[in-house]
């Protein structure tokens, strides 16, 4: 491969800058198809600096959060229309001004992105084109709002806002692309589910047709009176939300009717629905693997591009002439050049240090592309931390203390004491569960807690003596344990100073936040929370806990798409059902006694509504959980039209059927990956597992060939490489 570049005396460092940027692209799985001149590289590194990236995240969070403040405002203590006070609403122009400012920031963002990749690449990028259109559409809708003095009921730009969240994450884009390709397979199973529902609806209407005797018509009247009611009754049964209510009237007449409902549930709920979950995950996983394959190619391509430009630097002369350097004849890249590049790369200190260590261990003066590539394999390894050395004591007694309190059995004793403390609190709670707070006696429980807290303090101090401060803080469980212990000591000192040791003083009621009851309750909660220290000592629990923590980081792309879907459905729900259900003017008249049993009114579901954005989110969550979701379905059908069922069923299919099942499957994938990698380590807390989404599927991905890398490098729009 031959690299043609024009160099001058003052631009020799351009090769170093290019290599630095390409390596940073590889670390973050970014595309290398951007401008590589000196000015553009400076802009590029600034654009991907943590300041601008966190600034964009803040801007997206603020513009999404405007929905809580805009009319209808969510700034009220209660969402129950019977008790809700008038919420504060911003004056016209306030939120619009904030939104305008952030839209200008987004316009600047898309301008910089377009400049960095060039016009040719911009025309190929559908996301950037859509980004531009969304910003323009939002500004137009904003102008309409201001021209109507903020009096419009529908703000179309609110539907556009989740797009800003989606376009800011490459992983979300890959996930959406995979979901789009999975939709045909999902549609085929949903069609099978619909056929199953229709067949059993017809059977049900035939079985439970209207009879001559009124006492035999309970099933018909309640669940199979007409086609829409029959369909919705069986659809809800598919989610088990109305089981066994839906079968009880018929079952009370003839036990054989139970066969119909059981057959429907077994086929629909336990076969077709689980089959749908399997198909969703299997197909989605396949398409996601293709996207992850592209991420692996991006990493390898970035590293290879860095190697190519460094080879060019090694052969370039100090004249402003067109030079050609053939990598096969150049003898590779000098090790000292690699060290110079790595010093400028912005990466996590652990990886940077590990790569530098690998470089310093090289014996050759120059290395070839494969060796250069292997240097960066450390990016996919688990981080194994070595604890700092323990302090050395000369005194015999200190050595004995160090041996005793650094032993595993001392940690085991501490865990037993923590559990014993929790058992004491639990016992008191059970004994006094029927008493009111004013009848509780805090004295004896506080004496017990004080004894345990003294033990916790001694344990912490002696462990610091045994391990040293750095050794004690090496384990994250010790950091949490130490903070909680210090908090408990501070609260106990406050209690002793304020209330002393006299038992009668403890029974006097003390109103306010500093009352004895509030402080003791806080102490008890901290003690219970401190019991979490046992998790890292049990391997299975440690892996499960670390998996949950990793989910927040590694599966945030999937959660981000779910948040976007929530946002869109909440906005649509407000448009369609705002104040559709009106609470009675007189609160006393809203008694549940006169309402139909199991209805929205009788169950007191008034706080669940679409009257503001926050309430809409909570209602959508309640429907996603599917417990009693038919109550909302029936209530909004009653107060609006039958077509409202389309909205709720579409949300159920999107959230509960597709997205939640997919999320559960990915949790299993993440846990399996983590469990397999933890089998060779006895101390889980010493390892930080690299479990990004790319690495979760790494064992199923293939390494790109030299031909693929060469072909992609030749297609670079701004780096002039020819074969």
């Amino acid at each position: 491969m031959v690299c043609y570049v024009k160099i001058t005396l003052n631009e020799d460092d351009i090769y170093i800058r290019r290599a630095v940027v390409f390596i940073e692209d590889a670390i973050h799985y970014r595309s290398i198809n951007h401008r590589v001149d000196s000015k553009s590289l400076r802009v590029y590194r600034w654009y991907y600096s943590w300041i601008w990236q966190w600034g964009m995240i803040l801007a997206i969070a603020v513009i999404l959060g405007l929905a809580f403040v805009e009319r209808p405002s969510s700034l009220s203590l209660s969402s129950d229309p019977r008790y809700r006070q008038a919420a504060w609403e911003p004056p016209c122009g306030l939120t619009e001004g904030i939104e305008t400012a952030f839209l200008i920031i987004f316009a600047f963002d898309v301008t910089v992105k377009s400049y960095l990749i060039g016009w040719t690449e911009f025309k190929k990028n559908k996301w950037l084109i859509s980004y531009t259109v969304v910003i323009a559409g939002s500004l137009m809708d904003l102008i309409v709002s201001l021209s109507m003095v903020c009096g419009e009921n529908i703000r179309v730009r609110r539907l556009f806002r989740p797009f800003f969240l989606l376009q800011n994450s490459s992983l979300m884009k890959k996930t959406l692309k995979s979901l789009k390709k999975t939709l045909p397979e999902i549609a085929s199973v949903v069609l099978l589910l619909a056929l199953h529902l229709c067949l059993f609806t017809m059977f049900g209407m035939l079985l439970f047709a209207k009879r001559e005797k009124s006492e035999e018509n309970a099933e018909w009247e309640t669940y199979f009176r007409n086609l829409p009611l029959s369909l919705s009754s069986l659809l809800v049964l598919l989610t088990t939300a109305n089981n066994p209510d839906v079968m009880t009237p018929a079952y009370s007449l003839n036990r054989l009717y139970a066969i119909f409902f059981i057959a429907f549930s077994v086929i629909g709920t336990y076969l077709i629905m689980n089959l749908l979950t399997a198909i969703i995950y299997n197909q989605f996983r396949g398409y996601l693997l293709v996207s992850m394959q592209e991420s692996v190619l991006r990493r390898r391509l970035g590293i290879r591009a860095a190697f190519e430009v460094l080879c060019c630097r090694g052969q370039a002369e100090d004249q402003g002439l067109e030079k050609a350097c053939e990598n096969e004849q150049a003898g590779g890249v000098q090790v000292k050049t690699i060290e110079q590049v790595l010093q400028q790369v912005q990466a996590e200190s652990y990886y940077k240090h590990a790569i530098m260590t690998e470089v310093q261990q090289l014996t050759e003066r120059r290395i070839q592309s494969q060796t250069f590539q292997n240097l960066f394999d450390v990016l996919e390894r688990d981080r194994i931390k070595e604890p700092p050395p323990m302090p050395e004591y000369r005194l015999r007694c200190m050595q004995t203390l160090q041996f005793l309190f650094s032993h595993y059995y001392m940690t085991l004793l501490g865990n037993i004491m923590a559990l014993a403390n929790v058992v004491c609190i639990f016992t008191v709670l059970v004994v006094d569960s029927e008493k009111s707070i004013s009848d509780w006696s805090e004295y004896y429980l506080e004496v017990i807690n004080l004894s345990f807290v003294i033990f916790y303090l001694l344990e912490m101090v002696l462990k610091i003596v045994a391990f040293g401060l750095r050794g004690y803080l090496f384990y994250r469980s010790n950091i949490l344990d130490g903070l909680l212990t210090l908090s408990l000591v501070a609260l106990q000192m406050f209690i002793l100073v304020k209330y002393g040791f006299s038992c009668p003083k403890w029974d006097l009621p003390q109103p306010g936040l500093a009352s004895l009851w509030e402080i003791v309750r806080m102490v008890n909660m901290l003690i219970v929370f401190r019991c979490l220290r046992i998790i890292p000592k049990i391997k299975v629990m440690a892996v499960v806990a670390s998996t949950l923590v990793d989910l927040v980081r590694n599966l945030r792309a999937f959660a981000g798409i779910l948040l976007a879907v929530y946002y869109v459905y909440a906005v649509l729900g407000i448009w369609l059902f705002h104040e559709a259900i009106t609470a009675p003017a007189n609160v006393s008249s809203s008694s549940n006694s006169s309402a139909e049993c199991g209805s929205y009114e009788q169950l007191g579901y008034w706080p669940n509504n679409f009257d503001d954005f926050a309430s809409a989110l909570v209602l959508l969550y309640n429907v996603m959980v599917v417990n009693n979701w038919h109550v909302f379905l029936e209530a909004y059908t009653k107060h609006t039209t039958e077509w409202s069922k389309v909205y709720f069923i579409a949300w159920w299919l999107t959230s509960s059927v597709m997205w939640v099942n997919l999320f559960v499957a990915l949790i299993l994938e993440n846990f399996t990956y983590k469990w397999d990698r933890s089998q060779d380590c006895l101390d889980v807390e010493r390892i930080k597992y690299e479990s990004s989404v790319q690495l979760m599927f790494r064992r199923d991905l293939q390494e790109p060939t030299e031909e693929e890398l060469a072909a992609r490098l030749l297609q670079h729009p701004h780096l002039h490489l020819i074969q």
Side-chain angles (χ1 to χ4, degrees):
M1 187 175 289
V2 181
C3 172
Y4 287 98
V5 289
K6 187 168 184 175
I7 61 170
T8 65
L9 279 169
N10 298 326
E11 292 186 350
D12 185 48
D13 284 346
I14 187 66
Y15 300 102
I16 298 293
R17 294 179 190 173
R18 287 174 179 171
V20 168
V21 169
F22 287 149
I23 290 174
E24 291 175 351
D25 288 340
I27 292 173
H28 299 287
Y29 298 102
R30 295 196 297 252
S31 172
I32 65 170
N33 292 338
H34 52 76
R35 297 180 188 270
V36 292
D37 59 276
S38 181
K39 178 182 176 182
S40 298
L41 289 177
R42 285 196 297 269
V43 174
Y44 185 84
R45 295 195 76 192
W46 169 83
Y47 179 82
Y48 282 105
S49 65
W50 69 269
I51 296 176
W52 179 254
Q53 292 303 308
W54 277 102
M56 284 297 299
I57 292 172
L58 178 62
I60 293 169
V62 171
I63 203 166
L64 289 175
L66 288 177
F68 293 97
V69 182
E70 294 171 328
R71 184 171 55 86
S73 173
S74 302
L75 301 180
S76 61
L77 187 61
S78 173
S79 62
D80 193 326
R82 298 171 299 174
Y83 312 111
R84 183 177 57 212
Q85 302 294 324
W88 177 83
E89 293 187 356
C92 181
L94 178 60
T95 57
E96 287 75 13
I98 296 172
E99 189 169 8
T100 302
F102 284 110
L103 287 176
I104 292 173
I105 292 175
F106 294 145
F108 176 75
D109 180 66
V110 72
T111 302
V112 173
K113 277 186 178 178
S114 304
Y115 164 75
L116 290 174
I117 66 174
W119 174 247
T120 303
E121 291 295 310
F122 175 81
K123 291 187 292 183
K124 301 176 185 178
N125 196 316
K126 296 179 181 178
W127 279 97
L128 281 182
I129 295 173
S130 302
Y131 195 9
T132 307
V133 172
V134 166
I135 293 172
S138 298
L139 287 171
M140 292 173 60
D141 188 64
L142 192 60
I143 294 172
V144 173
S145 294
L146 293 174
S147 65
M148 299 178 66
V149 198
C150 309
E152 83 287 6
N153 293 322
I154 296 179
R155 303 178 186 88
V156 179
R157 64 184 182 277
R158 297 180 79 178
L159 290 178
F160 296 160
R161 289 173 184 169
F163 180 85
F164 300 128
L165 174 66
L166 300 177
Q167 68 80 32
N168 197 53
S169 169
S170 60
L171 194 53
M172 287 189 194
K173 297 174 189 176
K174 294 179 186 295
T175 306
L176 276 176
K177 184 178 180 180
S178 302
L179 280 173
K180 184 181 71 173
K181 293 181 178 180
T182 311
L183 287 178
E185 288 82 2
I186 296 175
S188 62
V189 183
V190 170
L191 185 62
L192 177 62
L193 190 64
L195 180 62
H196 166 73
L197 185 63
C198 290
L199 285 176
F200 272 84
T201 297
M202 288 187 287
F203 292 153
M205 293 184 72
L206 291 172
L207 283 173
F208 308 116
K210 188 175 182 180
R211 309 287 179 87
E212 296 295 331
K213 297 179 180 180
S214 58
E215 60 271 14
E216 296 180 357
N217 289 329
E219 186 73 35
W220 167 81
E221 186 173 355
T222 308
Y223 299 107
F224 290 92
R225 190 181 187 93
N226 50 51
L227 181 60
L229 181 60
S230 303
L231 279 171
S232 61
S233 298
L234 290 182
L235 178 63
V236 174
L237 178 60
L238 199 64
T239 66
T240 70
N242 61 352
N243 185 66
D245 298 353
V246 69
M247 65 179 283
T248 301
Y251 184 56
S252 63
L253 295 177
N254 191 330
R255 69 177 70 235
L256 294 178
Y257 282 132
I259 297 174
F260 169 81
F261 296 99
I262 293 173
F264 175 81
S265 296
V266 168
I267 297 173
T269 306
Y270 297 108
L271 294 182
I272 298 180
M273 292 294 287
N274 288 326
L275 178 64
L276 178 61
T277 301
I279 291 176
I280 289 174
Y281 177 63
N282 186 60
Q283 296 299 318
F284 175 80
R285 188 179 188 276
Y287 292 122
L288 190 60
L289 279 174
V290 176
S291 296
M292 294 303 104
Q293 185 70 55
E294 178 66 20
S295 295
V296 172
L297 179 60
R298 282 186 174 187
R299 171 165 284 185
R300 299 294 180 259
L301 194 62
I303 296 171
R304 181 59 181 271
F307 178 82
E308 296 291 343
V309 297
L310 290 177
C311 281
C312 291
R313 178 183 185 273
Q315 293 297 309
E317 296 180 0
D318 293 332
Q319 291 94 10
L321 302 172
E322 289 285 338
K323 299 298 296 180
C325 63
E326 298 187 7
N327 294 345
E328 291 78 9
Q329 302 172 1
V333 180
Q334 292 185 3
V335 172
K336 64 178 183 179
T337 303
I338 299 174
E339 292 178 346
Q340 185 180 354
V341 169
L342 291 176
Q343 288 173 357
Q344 299 184 35
V345 170
Q346 294 180 356
E348 291 189 45
S349 59
Y350 174 85
Y351 294 125
K352 195 170 180 178
H353 176 73
I355 297 172
M356 286 291 289
T357 303
E358 295 278 346
V359 172
Q360 291 168 1
Q361 292 175 353
L362 294 173
T363 57
E364 306 91 346
R365 289 184 61 253
R366 292 177 177 271
I367 61 173
Q368 299 301 322
S369 62
Q370 187 58 50
T371 307
F372 186 81
Q373 186 81 252
N374 294 339
L375 292 175
F376 297 90
D377 289 345
V378 69
L379 297 173
E380 299 177 4
R381 298 176 193 163
D382 298 324
R383 304 189 199 180
I384 302 178
K385 303 182 296 181
E386 292 296 334
M390 297 172 63
E392 297 181 1
Y393 297 108
R394 295 182 179 180
L395 295 177
R396 183 74 175 177
C397 60
M398 295 299 294
Q399 293 176 355
T400 304
L401 281 176
Q402 186 177 47
F403 172 77
L404 291 175
F405 287 93
S406 62
H407 200 278
Y408 170 75
Y409 287 138
M410 189 62 205
T411 302
L412 184 61
L413 176 62
N415 292 337
I416 293 173
M417 295 294 287
L419 287 173
N421 198 177
V422 171
V423 170
C424 291
I425 295 173
F426 179 75
T427 303
V428 172
L429 291 175
V430 171
V431 172
D432 294 341
S433 60
E434 297 294 332
K435 297 180 181 179
S436 63
I437 295 176
S438 59
D439 296 331
W440 282 36
S441 177
E442 314 295 345
Y443 182 76
Y444 299 106
L445 178 60
E446 178 56 27
V447 170
I448 294 172
N449 286 344
L450 179 60
S451 303
F452 279 106
V453 170
I454 292 173
F455 173 83
Y456 300 153
L457 181 61
L458 288 174
E459 180 193 22
M460 182 186 73
V461 172
L462 291 173
K463 276 190 173 182
I464 292 175
V465 171
F467 292 102
L469 183 60
R470 289 181 58 227
Y472 180 81
L473 298 177
F474 173 78
Y475 292 100
R476 286 167 291 182
S477 59
N478 282 345
I479 297 175
L480 176 63
D481 187 50
L483 291 174
L484 292 176
T485 299
L486 293 176
S487 301
L488 289 169
V489 170
L491 289 173
Q492 291 293 347
M493 291 179 63
F494 177 81
I495 292 174
L496 293 177
V497 170
K498 186 175 179 64
Y499 296 99
F501 293 93
S502 179
C503 180
K505 293 183 180 180
W506 291 55
D507 295 328
L508 296 176
Q510 299 287 339
L513 292 176
S515 67
L516 181 62
W517 160 248
E518 295 295 338
I519 299 173
V520 172
R521 183 167 60 172
M522 190 180 302
V523 169
N524 292 338
M525 287 191 291
L526 289 177
I527 289 172
V528 173
F529 189 67
R530 188 179 178 277
C531 199
L532 295 178
R533 57 175 279 168
I534 68 173
I535 289 178
K537 307 306 176 186
I538 304 175
K539 186 174 181 180
V540 176
M541 293 179 64
V543 174
V544 172
S546 59
T547 301
L548 293 176
V549 173
D550 281 345
L551 286 175
V552 178
R553 182 180 74 249
N554 298 332
L555 298 185
R556 59 181 179 269
F558 306 97
I561 297 175
L562 183 60
L563 174 63
V565 175
Y566 257 98
Y567 201 98
V568 170
Y569 268 89
V571 171
L572 290 175
I574 293 173
W575 290 357
L576 296 172
F577 308 115
H578 178 62
E579 295 184 350
I581 300 179
T582 306
N586 187 1
V587 175
S588 60
S589 66
S590 61
S591 174
N592 300 345
S593 57
S594 60
E596 180 184 354
C597 181
S599 65
Y600 182 92
E601 295 79 6
Q602 188 270 330
L603 293 172
Y605 281 2
W606 301 103
N608 298 277
N609 52 62
F610 287 101
D611 292 350
D612 58 66
F613 189 75
S615 300
L617 291 177
V618 174
L619 193 151
L620 289 174
Y621 174 78
N622 290 334
V623 173
M624 184 180 73
V625 176
V626 303
N627 185 36
N628 274 359
W629 75 289
H630 60 287
V631 175
F632 305 110
L633 190 71
E634 294 168 359
Y636 280 93
T637 300
K638 175 183 175 182
H639 289 87
T640 56
T641 67
E642 289 284 340
W643 289 103
S644 63
K645 292 180 179 178
V646 175
Y647 172 87
F648 287 97
I649 293 173
W651 170 247
W652 168 71
L653 285 171
T654 304
S655 62
S656 184
V657 173
M658 185 176 72
W659 202 251
V660 171
N661 288 331
L662 179 61
F663 206 71
V664 170
L666 289 170
I667 289 174
L668 293 175
E669 184 82 26
N670 195 17
F671 175 77
T672 303
Y673 168 83
K674 198 106 178 237
W675 178 258
D676 291 342
R677 302 190 75 178
S678 68
Q679 294 305 300
D680 299 329
C681 179
L682 297 177
D683 191 354
V684 177
E685 200 174 4
R686 285 182 53 205
I687 291 187
K688 181 178 180 182
Y689 296 100
E690 291 308 313
S691 53
S692 64
V693 178
Q694 288 87 354
L695 295 182
M696 281 170 55
F697 299 98
R698 187 66 183 88
R699 57 193 172 191
D700 299 316
L701 301 177
Q702 297 179 349
E703 284 290 331
T705 63
E706 285 293 319
E707 291 75 15
E708 288 180 282
L709 294 176
R712 292 291 289 267
L713 281 174
L714 292 174
Q715 296 171 6
H716 196 289
H718 306 288
L719 188 65
H720 306 297
L721 296 173
I722 66 172
Q723 207 165 18

